[in-house]
Amino acid sequence: MLKIGEKGAIPQKDNETYAIAPHIPCGIVTPDLLRKIADVSERYNAQAIKLTGATRIAIVGLKEEDIDRVWEDLGMDHGAAVGMCVRSIRTCPGNTFCKLGKQDAIGVGMKLDKRYHALELPSKFKMAVSGCKLSCSESWVRDVGLIGFPEGWTLTIGGNVGMLPRIGKELTTGLDDDQAMAAVDKVVQYYIANAKRGERLGKMIERTGLEPFKEAL
């Protein structure tokens, strides 16, 4: 079988079929994209179409010999669903659509996606952007989280779910969009330079403390 992530495919429980997760920045879709995914899934007899926790649309139960043709028919990039890299950026509707939104979660999320999606790092790395303090994108439990307040963005780092869940640490507050992007970049660069291989950001913070990240800003 293909190795996990090879050709953007993920082996399934039956050890015969695969799932793929095309890259859909911030989970924003169009009617045409939905039709294309439905048509391709039907054409290659997919077993299921699954909305994932990372706002991707996974096509499940594909045969190995069909994988290349499926990607060709979709005409989409692979989603970074596995591996030591930046995964899909999660966002809520933000102030674009939600009456509770204080900041532009979709706009900032799209910028983060364009800059970081699939970037190889010492370990897997997840980001989320929430337009208000309700944190519907679960920013507190992501390696990097942005949370919108009336006065600007709050940046949290080091959160994760999994076997050992961690709540992120508040790093700085009151950022505008450009300052938030710059702060995230400094966090990522410091992580690249100082993390051990396979070390999640939260685990690194437990080892080094938060102060080096504050100094990096």
Side-chain angles (χ1 to χ4, degrees):
M1 294 189 71
L2 298 174
K3 296 179 180 179
I4 186 168
E6 186 179 355
K7 296 185 178 182
I10 304 168
Q12 298 298 284
K13 183 179 179 180
D14 59 11
N15 290 320
E16 294 180 358
T17 63
Y18 299 83
I20 65 167
H23 182 44
I24 302 176
C26 298
I28 303 295
V29 299
T30 64
D32 285 344
L33 177 59
L34 291 175
R35 290 188 190 97
K36 180 187 291 185
I37 290 173
D39 289 344
V40 171
S41 299
E42 190 173 61
R43 187 177 306 142
Y44 292 98
N45 299 310
Q47 296 175 11
I49 303 173
K50 174 68 173 70
L51 298 177
T52 74
T55 63
R56 289 183 288 261
I57 299 178
I59 304 174
V60 183
L62 297 169
K63 297 177 182 178
E64 181 175 341
E65 60 265 27
D66 291 333
I67 296 295
D68 289 336
R69 289 194 296 271
V70 168
W71 282 120
E72 183 178 348
D73 289 358
L74 286 172
M76 301 172 69
D77 293 332
H78 299 177
V82 296
M84 295 197 295
C85 63
V86 178
R87 309 294 179 81
S88 293
I89 313 300
R90 290 184 59 167
T91 74
C92 70
N95 62 11
T96 305
F97 300 109
C98 181
K99 64 181 180 180
L100 299 178
K102 305 302 180 185
Q103 299 292 333
D104 182 10
I106 291 177
V108 170
M110 286 291 193
K111 291 178 182 178
L112 289 172
D113 184 277
K114 184 176 181 179
R115 183 174 297 184
Y116 296 112
H117 176 254
L119 176 69
E120 292 187 8
L121 294 178
S123 186
K124 66 180 179 181
F125 201 97
K126 299 184 178 182
M127 301 185 184
V129 188
S130 300
C132 80
K133 63 183 179 180
L134 294 180
S135 192
C136 290
S137 295
E138 302 176 350
S139 299
W140 283 105
V141 287
R142 298 291 176 261
D143 296 274
V144 161
L146 288 171
I147 302 170
F149 290 85
E151 62 273 18
W153 294 104
T154 289
L155 173 62
T156 65
I157 64 172
N160 62 257
V161 291
M163 291 187 293
L164 183 62
R166 295 180 178 86
I167 302 296
K169 306 291 186 181
E170 185 177 300
L171 188 61
T172 186
T173 62
L175 306 174
D176 63 24
D177 290 359
D178 290 338
Q179 290 170 333
M181 293 294 296
V184 170
D185 191 59
K186 290 178 181 178
V187 168
V188 171
Q189 293 305 315
Y190 187 82
Y191 175 67
I192 291 172
N194 296 279
K196 298 177 181 179
R197 182 171 175 80
E199 184 178 48
R200 290 291 294 271
L201 180 55
K203 193 172 182 180
M204 178 183 172
I205 292 170
E206 290 178 358
R207 174 171 61 85
T208 67
L210 195 62
E211 196 60 32
F213 289 91
K214 291 183 178 180
E215 293 174 359
L217 295 185

